[in-house]
Amino acid sequence: MMPLQSPRLCQLFVFLAALFPVCQLASAEPEVDYAKDIYPILETHCLGCHNSDEADGELVMDDFAAMMRGGEKGVALTAGEPNSSRMFLMVSGKMDPVMPPEDAEGLSDEELKLMATWIEQGAKGPSGPMPIKRSLRTPIIKANQQVAQPITAATLSTGGDLVAVARFATVHVMQGDVESSIRLNADDKGKINSLQFSPDSKTLLMGSGLTGVYGRAAIYDWKSGQLVQEFTVGGDTLYDAVFSPDGNTVAAAGYDAVIRLWDVASGKQLGELKGHNGAIYDLEYSPDGAVLISASADETVKVWNPQTMQRLDTLSQPEGEVLVTKVTKDGAHILAGSADNRIRIWQLKSKTTPAINPLVAARFVDESPAVAMDFTPDGRQLLAVFESGNAKVLSTVDWQPVASLDRLPDSATSVMIRPDGGTASAALMNGQLATITLPTASAGPDDKPKQQIAKVYLPSSEPLSMSEAEARQAATKQPVESARGSIPLPGHSLVNGQLSDRGEVDWYQWDCHQGEVWAIDVDKASGSKLDPIVTITDVAGKPVIQVRLQAIRDSYFTFRGKNSDQTDDFRLFNWQELQLNQYLYSAGEVTRLKLHPRGPDSGFNVYPGRGKRWTYFGTSGATHALGEPAYIVQPMAPGSEPMANGLPTFDVPYQNDDDPMRMAGTNSRLLFTAPSDGPYRIAVRDTRGEGGEKYGYQLRVRPAEPKFNPKVSALSKELFPGTGREIGVSVDRFDGFDGPVTFEIDALPDGLISNFPVTIESGQQSAQAVVWATPEADAKLLSTEAAATAKVTAWAMINGQRIEKSVGDLGKLVVSANAPKVSATIARTSDPADQNVARDLLIQIPRGQTVSARVVIQRAEGFNGQVSFGKEFSGRNPSHGVYVDNIGLNGLLIVANASEREFFLTADPTATPGKRAFFLTAAVDGGLATHPVTVEVLP
């Protein structure tokens, strides 16, 4: 048996005794906390280069799990072994490359000891969620105490008796002469970006935070200054926080592009709205709380359903960061101001489910972006303040600027209209709360009296014909007071003249009374080389201004330029914001938008839609280069002041080079309405300044005679039972006649029906009729030998009188005994394709919306090919502004072997309410039309 006190056993006891104090000391080291002790060291020295966005060596250190996985060279930390941990060896200078790099401050001895101890203790991660950081390690720079602190946010209570203004870390609430303060504690001293009173005005919500650190939405009892509820977000500051209209929910968003919603009573987060790709600057609930609108640096506005957390629409028209958004008091429109210096207005359609919210207007109001907006109590006006310090008022009737106010002394962060609607307060970066006096609603340009001159049309008469020489001689025999060098004319005159020398200008003069409308025609003589241009001036030779045009939208030509005749493919910058029937001004020419781009590779069609383009206000067609500026313009009322929108105005004189209606070729046609009694001069010259023996012309000065010339394209192909043939009707317009023209026919034979009477709408050139043969149409009674026809007449109201003209006939109405290759029918998407149903089909489309329908075909045996119904003009005889939408590159097409196709009908916001016959024509057998259906545009 071994002795109890053996030497070896004693040595063991001595070793254990020596070891025990060391173990005791190690266990006595306090537990190092990752979140409190280690993460701040990493944040100071490591995260600048090793974060989720930028991970040098693929080592991510702002996430514990990722850090423990290591980087491209393997594991960086070995729990329990500091001297085996590559990361520790590099920060302690024991392994190359030493970290942080030489140009950065390394870890202190205390920080190294903490890290070593943490690794020895097992390199444990956070025990729960990482706490939100509340501080940023930056140099402390003392502010100049004499410099006024900017007002970063301000708000008005619902009743208007409370005003709250925020400066750094402090909010002042004023009620009359009484003022109270809310001062943030040391941990919450971030910039206050937004303020809003609760609906009951008892509490105040502020959105704040520290850039790059955290965001905070906090509700305070403004009287006591006590914190009621707090919602915090890690990562970055909040730019806006808003109450829902019922006060039960708070929505907040900021730099991280996420909208968060919280329940006010419980503080529980209700959800997150994600979809933006940039910082969110502004939030706005609709008055009923049904939708939440967000404005973002990603150049979009988004519409959300805050109950279902669903995105309802993305408004992508802005071309710059969207800084501010509002919803009108009636909840009908969304507004947004963006860094492209535009204020845009959309109609709010998506109130519960996804829908397209159509753009109503885009206004260039100032040369800097809008930063804050507010509505007057009656909702009739919008006050916008801009980055430049400018303040302007827009009418909510047409969204046009109506007043430019005194410039603010500094940039504003908020603007609030007082309950009386007469004044507003603007919070400024210089620390002031400036007062703005608002104009009355009656100050808008729409309320100014229109000084339009009543037009007077003189009776027609025979012209007095003469040569230029005879006119000059007659002037010497019967002297008439005239400007020097002008040949006096006795009213309705026809003069044959000649520009004998290069640069020559022939001057004529005649007397007018105010409102008289005269037509000035200049045609080159037979064999003449003249390209005439005619101008009307006063007796001093100064051109008489016909109209002043106000630019309301700027754009430019994209993709390719345009020649002086082209009507199609006008590709314009920001085309989504342009509207049908708007006037387009470029390089002195004014044309008009007729048809929206209809596919991914198309542009606008301008009037008349086909053929050579029309011009307006006597301007002439011009070529336009790629990138050339273009403007949407509108005529100004005589004597009115230009809008304060920062865009130019254009004076258009009475001058014409080529006939605006393009019927007289390069000859000149000019309509003149005398602005006042007195003599006026006519200047005739060559566009190029040429002259000589072969530069003769004929000048006709005559009383204007508005009239029209109707036309019909007679049928040339036989009809098939159960199908129709299209008939085109058109009209030439003269001397400013712009009204509707209605085409009517005699009775048709049994078995044939049509959509007559057909009306060409005001300002339009053509329409489409259809004659349709019923399936029961008797081919024997309607054979070639027994062919019938129907006479066509057209009428219009001109200056209060009905003018009727005979047009011709429809041609021979012959029905074939054979079956057509295709018989097509329009039906609702849910209805059967029945021609009897089609006869009574009514499709209703509210203006600004789209509805679906379908076209169904019956194929003849053996015919399986594709059937096209056309491209941009696939809808036949629609009201202007109604069109087949979403046609793609192939148009409205039923592919081979298919029997139907869904299509979409859109009614532009400019479409005139009312009913109109509509049909489709298949490009088969020379064009086979459907039975017409009725499309009604609703207001």
Side-chain angles (χ1 to χ4, degrees):
M1 178 176 223
M2 182 181 291
L4 184 61
Q5 298 289 335
S6 70
R8 185 171 296 177
L9 188 60
C10 290
Q11 290 175 356
L12 177 61
F13 284 141
V14 171
F15 173 75
L16 291 173
L19 180 63
F20 179 78
V22 176
C23 296
Q24 189 176 35
L25 285 172
S27 64
E29 285 282 351
E31 184 82 12
V32 178
D33 184 86
Y34 171 79
K36 185 177 71 173
D37 301 319
I38 301 303
Y39 191 79
I41 297 174
L42 302 178
E43 188 177 42
T44 302
H45 300 285
C46 308
L47 298 191
C49 298
H50 298 279
N51 55 71
S52 300
D53 296 324
E54 181 183 353
D56 283 5
E58 299 182 9
L59 178 60
V60 176
M61 299 178 71
D62 57 0
D63 177 84
F64 178 77
M67 181 175 67
M68 296 305 291
R69 286 195 296 269
E72 63 182 10
K73 293 187 178 180
V75 175
L77 284 172
T78 303
E81 297 292 341
N83 291 327
S84 297
S85 299
R86 296 180 68 255
M87 188 177 86
F88 180 74
L89 294 174
M90 293 168 74
V91 299
S92 60
K94 298 177 180 179
M95 177 182 286
D96 289 331
V98 175
M99 290 289 162
E102 293 182 0
D103 59 348
E105 184 180 353
L107 278 65
S108 65
D109 292 342
E110 183 178 350
E111 289 172 330
L112 287 170
K113 182 179 178 182
L114 267 175
M115 184 167 286
T117 303
W118 172 66
I119 296 172
E120 287 175 351
Q121 292 176 353
K124 298 175 184 177
S127 56
M130 289 287 288
I132 293 175
K133 183 175 64 169
R134 292 295 185 104
S135 62
L136 187 65
R137 300 190 183 196
T138 56
I140 298 175
I141 301 174
K142 292 185 178 180
N144 188 334
Q145 297 301 313
Q146 297 180 351
V147 175
Q149 286 191 331
I151 300 177
T152 56
T155 190
L156 202 64
S157 63
T158 305
D161 56 329
L162 299 173
V163 179
V165 296
R167 295 178 175 87
F168 188 80
T170 305
V171 177
H172 296 278
V173 180
M174 293 162 281
Q175 186 175 30
D177 296 330
V178 181
E179 182 175 334
S180 61
S181 297
I182 301 172
R183 189 170 295 277
L184 304 187
N185 61 45
D187 291 336
D188 294 320
K189 284 189 177 179
K191 176 188 172 188
I192 300 170
N193 294 310
S194 71
L195 290 174
Q196 187 185 22
F197 282 103
S198 59
D200 61 10
S201 300
K202 292 181 179 179
T203 58
L204 183 65
L205 170 65
M206 64 177 68
S208 63
L210 195 58
T211 302
V213 182
Y214 76 101
R216 179 175 184 260
I219 302 174
Y220 286 86
D221 182 315
W222 64 266
K223 290 184 178 180
S224 65
Q226 294 298 310
L227 180 64
V228 176
Q229 191 63 273
E230 180 184 50
F231 317 101
T232 54
V233 178
D236 221 309
T237 190
L238 295 179
Y239 290 133
D240 199 16
V242 294
F243 280 113
S244 60
D246 60 11
N248 294 330
T249 305
V250 164
Y255 189 80
D256 68 355
V258 178
I259 304 170
R260 295 173 177 85
L261 292 92
W262 290 277
D263 178 70
V264 170
S266 66
K268 180 181 177 182
Q269 183 170 319
L270 302 175
E272 294 183 346
L273 305 177
K274 297 181 179 179
H276 279 297
N277 296 316
I280 298 171
Y281 294 130
D282 200 18
L283 297 172
E284 176 89 353
Y285 273 100
S286 61
D288 59 4
V291 298
L292 178 66
I293 314 297
S294 56
S296 172
D298 65 6
E299 303 183 358
T300 69
V301 177
K302 292 187 186 291
V303 185
W304 310 87
N305 184 325
Q307 285 75 42
T308 63
M309 305 294 168
Q310 182 184 20
R311 179 171 58 83
L312 304 179
D313 195 15
T314 295
L315 312 177
S316 58
Q317 290 90 346
E319 297 286 335
E321 293 181 320
V322 186
L323 306 176
V324 58
T325 185
K326 297 290 287 185
V327 179
T328 52
K329 289 182 174 292
D330 60 3
H333 293 91
I334 301 167
L335 282 76
S338 49
D340 61 352
N341 305 339
R342 304 306 194 269
I343 294 176
R344 290 175 174 82
I345 302 94
W346 295 267
Q347 188 176 8
L348 179 53
K349 294 284 190 181
S350 58
K351 295 188 177 181
T352 55
T353 57
I356 294 174
N357 297 282
L359 183 71
V360 173
R363 297 288 181 255
F364 183 102
V365 185
D366 192 75
E367 294 182 355
S368 65
V371 293
M373 300 185 291
D374 198 12
F375 292 102
T376 55
D378 60 8
R380 294 178 62 190
Q381 292 186 333
L382 172 76
L383 171 63
V385 293
F386 299 86
E387 194 175 79
S388 62
N390 290 331
K392 299 182 181 182
V393 179
L394 285 76
S395 167
T396 58
V397 175
D398 57 4
W399 304 107
Q400 296 290 0
V402 297
S404 183
L405 309 180
D406 292 339
R407 187 168 184 164
L408 298 169
D410 208 335
S411 295
T413 56
S414 307
V415 67
M416 309 158 290
I417 295 181
R418 300 284 182 163
D420 62 4
T423 59
S425 297
L428 306 182
M429 291 299 290
N430 65 4
Q432 297 178 2
L433 193 64
T435 298
I436 301 173
T437 301
L438 299 177
T440 59
S442 61
D446 283 348
D447 299 312
K448 292 181 179 179
K450 306 298 183 185
Q451 303 172 20
Q452 299 291 347
I453 297 172
K455 293 185 177 181
V456 177
Y457 290 94
L458 302 174
S460 61
S461 60
E462 287 298 317
L464 178 63
S465 298
M466 67 193 87
S467 68
E468 180 186 349
E470 291 171 339
R472 291 185 187 277
Q473 186 176 10
T476 61
K477 292 180 179 180
Q478 296 181 341
V480 177
E481 185 178 349
S482 63
R484 184 176 179 181
S486 295
I487 303 174
L489 298 176
H492 191 176
S493 306
L494 191 153
V495 180
N496 294 298
Q498 178 179 288
L499 298 176
S500 302
D501 299 311
R502 288 177 59 87
E504 181 179 326
V505 179
D506 283 355
W507 290 91
Y508 299 87
Q509 181 174 310
W510 89 117
D511 290 327
C512 302
H513 293 290
Q514 186 183 56
E516 289 181 353
V517 186
W518 291 83
I520 315 299
D521 304 336
V522 182
D523 294 279
K524 65 180 181 180
S526 177
S528 175
K529 297 179 180 180
L530 181 72
D531 183 0
I533 182 170
V534 61
T535 307
I536 297 179
T537 75
D538 59 18
V539 291
K542 182 180 179 180
V544 178
I545 300 303
Q546 177 181 181
V547 66
R548 172 171 285 186
L549 301 175
Q550 169 73 64
I552 59 173
R553 180 74 176 85
D554 60 336
S555 184
Y556 57 85
F557 288 90
T558 64
F559 187 61
R560 60 166 65 99
K562 294 287 164 285
N563 64 36
S564 59
D565 294 333
Q566 208 168 337
T567 59
D568 64 336
D569 204 24
F570 270 60
R571 303 196 192 190
L572 297 163
F573 171 71
N574 234 351
W575 64 268
Q576 300 94 330
E577 299 180 2
L578 311 185
Q579 298 177 4
L580 298 187
N581 293 330
Q582 287 184 321
Y583 292 110
L584 179 71
Y585 178 97
S586 183
E589 176 192 356
V590 182
T591 186
R592 203 173 188 185
L593 304 180
K594 177 178 173 63
L595 187 65
H596 282 299
R598 307 301 304 283
D601 189 31
S602 67
F604 278 99
N605 281 42
V606 298
Y607 276 85
R610 294 178 177 177
K612 294 183 178 182
R613 72 171 175 266
W614 292 349
T615 57
Y616 296 82
F617 306 109
T619 61
S620 301
T623 58
H624 304 290
L626 175 66
E628 183 174 296
Y631 299 89
I632 295 299
V633 296
Q634 62 185 24
M636 295 174 58
S640 62
E641 292 296 320
M643 297 176 185
N645 64 1
L647 292 176
T649 59
F650 304 99
D651 286 338
V652 179
Y654 280 104
Q655 184 178 75
N656 178 253
D657 178 9
D658 299 334
D659 176 16
M661 303 302 289
R662 313 311 291 270
M663 291 181 288
T666 61
N667 294 317
S668 300
R669 297 289 184 269
L670 187 60
L671 275 182
F672 173 70
T673 302
S676 60
D677 293 352
Y680 292 92
R681 302 175 73 193
I682 300 170
V684 178
R685 58 187 173 88
D686 182 79
T687 304
R688 303 150 299 182
E690 299 289 338
E693 292 183 359
K694 294 187 177 181
Y695 286 82
Y697 63 85
Q698 183 179 82
L699 165 67
R700 183 164 182 166
V701 180
R702 58 182 177 82
E705 186 181 0
K707 58 185 179 180
F708 64 97
N709 180 31
K711 301 175 184 177
V712 61
S713 59
L715 286 176
S716 60
K717 294 181 174 63
E718 60 186 1
L719 295 154
F720 293 100
T723 65
R725 292 288 188 186
E726 181 177 321
I727 299 169
V729 294
S730 62
V731 63
D732 293 331
R733 300 175 180 273
F734 300 91
D735 289 2
F737 171 67
D738 202 41
V741 179
T742 299
F743 289 73
E744 297 177 342
I745 61 171
D746 294 340
L748 289 171
D750 291 341
L752 300 181
I753 61 174
S754 78
N755 64 331
F756 281 99
V758 173
T759 297
I760 298 176
E761 297 173 281
S762 295
Q764 305 301 315
Q765 186 184 42
S766 62
Q768 296 80 43
V770 62
V771 173
W772 195 80
T774 66
E776 301 80 24
D778 193 332
K780 292 181 179 179
L781 295 178
L782 293 170
S783 63
T784 303
E785 294 76 14
T789 189
K791 292 183 178 180
V792 183
T793 57
W795 63 271
M797 297 299 295
I798 300 178
N799 295 333
Q801 295 184 338
R802 177 180 168 123
I803 307 298
E804 185 171 315
K805 297 187 176 185
S806 176
V807 186
D809 59 51
L810 297 182
K812 292 184 177 181
L813 303 175
V814 178
V815 177
S816 172
N818 300 320
K821 288 183 179 179
V822 165
S823 176
T825 304
I826 298 173
R828 292 191 183 91
T829 52
S830 57
D831 289 346
D834 187 332
Q835 290 182 340
N836 292 320
V837 174
R839 298 180 190 186
D840 301 318
L841 180 60
L842 172 64
I843 299 174
Q844 294 180 314
I845 318 174
R847 285 195 295 185
Q849 295 190 27
T850 300
V851 300
S852 63
R854 64 191 179 120
V855 56
V856 181
I857 60 173
Q858 292 181 339
R859 297 175 179 271
E861 185 176 352
F863 176 70
N864 298 311
Q866 67 180 22
V867 178
S868 173
F869 292 89
K871 293 188 176 181
E872 65 265 36
F873 297 105
S874 53
R876 309 308 290 157
N877 198 51
S879 300
H880 176 59
V882 175
Y883 52 91
V884 177
D885 210 347
N886 301 326
I887 58 173
L889 291 174
N890 295 317
L892 182 55
L893 179 74
I894 295 180
V895 298
N897 298 309
S899 60
E900 66 177 76
R901 161 77 184 269
E902 183 182 26
F903 66 95
F904 300 90
L905 279 174
T906 294
D908 190 80
T910 62
T912 302
K915 295 180 179 180
R916 192 170 174 91
F918 172 87
F919 62 95
L920 298 173
T921 298
V924 178
D925 277 343
L928 299 176
T930 66
H931 189 289
V933 301
T934 301
V935 172
E936 181 179 15
V937 177
L938 302 176

